[in-house]
Amino acid sequence: MTDLPMTVRADGLPERVTIYEVGPRDGLQNEQALVPTGVKAEFVQRLTAAGLPIVEATSFVHPRWVPQLADAADLMELLGEAGRDCPVLVPNERGLDRALELGARHIAIFGSATETFAQKNLNRSLDEQFAMFEPTVRRARDAGLDVRAYVSMCFGDPWEGAVPIDQVVDVGKRLFDLGASQLSLGDTVGVGTAGHVAALLTAFQQAGMGTDHLAMHFHDTYGQALANTYAALRAGVTTYDASAGGLGGCPYAKSATGNLATEDLVWMLRGLGVETGVDLGQVVATSVWMAGHLGRPSPSAVVRALAESPS
């Protein structure tokens, strides 16, 4: 199986993409049974060793909201110096304070493209979220940190339904313009389709925001994540969020199932001749290992296929 998938290069695609691994944070945050901090640390270390250039480690949200990540500080201390290069999610200035105390070099903020999700996830209105994030981003940049901005519900909202493209562009640009270096566009409940992806990216480009500052964050609720990725590739996007083994969900949006699996993404990109620098076998082995700790098989199709194949 080492010569599969066969590489058939398609015209008009990037030569190389960056996979932004979110498994340890977005992948584990919705798990009900608490994963030991040592297991989380080994998860991060295994993923880094597999060649994933960016591994988001945890989130400094209040433990009441995401109990699974209550050990964020302990995890970062356990990871040591290497952990300082792992991005961490911060909801506000208090979260930033904790990240700064632990020497983090990269943070991410998370906003919403819709009013209802902003209220449920941030306890702020759509407009109020920007005022909340502004001092966090300013202080982080003044301290020399890199800042990423996530925007959720870009392709649909379980409470509001369809989300106008111009609304997503407006919210996304406002978050990015606070001082972020990259904007990750999230299909939080996995309802997006390839044509929608292409239209949204065109709208961002027409608004003066190039694909070099954009990343895509797809969920596979309706089985569309890889098709959507291909549409974004054709539009020139070169950064994709993915979660080892397809782990993940959103604690504030129950219809949000697993993220795009890192292994499924790497398999497709390998077949297209797009470089990632990721060792697929090591990531599969890591997901099988984590599935053992979680007590259930990985939802990733590639993990299941390769774990069961005679090699």
Side-chain angles (χ1 to χ4, degrees), residues 10-308:
D11 293 336
L13 300 184
E15 294 288 331
R16 186 181 184 90
V17 304
T18 297
I19 297 178
Y20 192 107
E21 174 61 49
V22 298
R25 195 275 302 174
D26 200 14
L28 294 181
Q29 69 177 5
N30 213 33
E31 293 293 324
Q32 297 302 309
L34 293 181
V35 178
T37 307
V39 172
K40 294 177 184 176
E42 185 172 350
F43 192 31
V44 171
Q45 292 161 349
R46 282 173 173 253
L47 293 168
T48 301
L52 286 154
I54 305 171
V55 180
E56 192 172 72
T58 189
S59 173
F60 287 105
V61 297
H62 195 286
R64 180 171 68 251
W65 301 116
V66 186
Q68 183 64 253
L69 304 182
D71 61 350
D74 292 339
L75 173 62
M76 297 304 290
E77 290 178 353
L78 196 57
L79 289 171
E81 180 63 25
R84 297 180 65 191
D85 286 323
C86 294
V88 294
L89 207 63
V90 301
N92 49 34
E93 288 192 86
R94 184 175 300 176
L96 175 63
D97 289 339
R98 298 178 67 199
L100 289 171
E101 288 170 5
L102 292 162
R105 298 187 179 103
H106 308 272
I107 67 161
I109 60 172
F110 51 100
S112 171
T114 66
E115 181 71 38
T116 305
F117 193 63
Q119 294 284 358
K120 290 181 177 292
N121 195 30
L122 303 169
N123 198 30
R124 298 288 192 282
S125 72
L126 193 65
D127 284 330
E128 289 171 345
Q129 67 179 329
F130 304 107
M132 180 180 75
F133 289 133
E134 190 278 330
T136 302
V137 176
R138 174 173 40 79
R139 286 184 52 211
R141 293 302 299 267
D142 288 347
L145 274 63
D146 177 65
V147 179
R148 183 187 223 219
Y150 286 99
V151 55
S152 300
M153 301 297 173
C154 292
F155 296 88
D157 178 292
W159 300 278
E160 298 183 18
V163 183
I165 286 177
D166 59 350
Q167 178 175 313
V168 177
V169 173
D170 178 65
V171 170
K173 280 185 60 62
R174 288 179 69 181
L175 283 171
F176 180 80
D177 290 345
L178 290 175
S181 61
Q182 186 177 71
L183 180 69
S184 177
L185 305 176
D187 185 9
T188 312
V189 290
V191 295
T193 55
H196 193 170
V197 171
L200 181 61
L201 291 173
T202 296
F204 268 101
Q205 290 173 309
Q206 291 174 342
M209 193 163 182
T211 54
D212 53 328
H213 291 300
L214 298 176
M216 306 306 298
H217 185 111
F218 296 122
H219 285 239
D220 206 33
T221 315
Y222 291 85
Q224 302 299 299
L226 287 177
N228 291 341
T229 297
Y230 189 74
L233 282 169
R234 295 199 64 84
V237 176
T238 58
T239 300
Y240 295 88
D241 300 357
S243 175
L247 296 175
C250 176
Y252 306 104
K254 300 306 180 184
S255 54
T257 55
N259 292 279
L260 168 61
T262 304
E263 297 85 351
D264 296 6
L265 175 60
V266 172
W267 182 272
M268 185 184 80
L269 293 173
R270 180 181 290 182
L272 291 169
V274 178
E275 294 294 329
T276 65
V278 176
D279 186 314
L280 179 59
Q282 286 193 47
V283 183
V284 169
T286 297
S287 291
V288 171
W289 168 83
M290 178 54 76
H293 283 283
L294 297 176
R296 64 174 187 280
S298 166
S300 163
V302 169
V303 170
R304 294 196 305 268
L306 292 184
E308 295 171 3

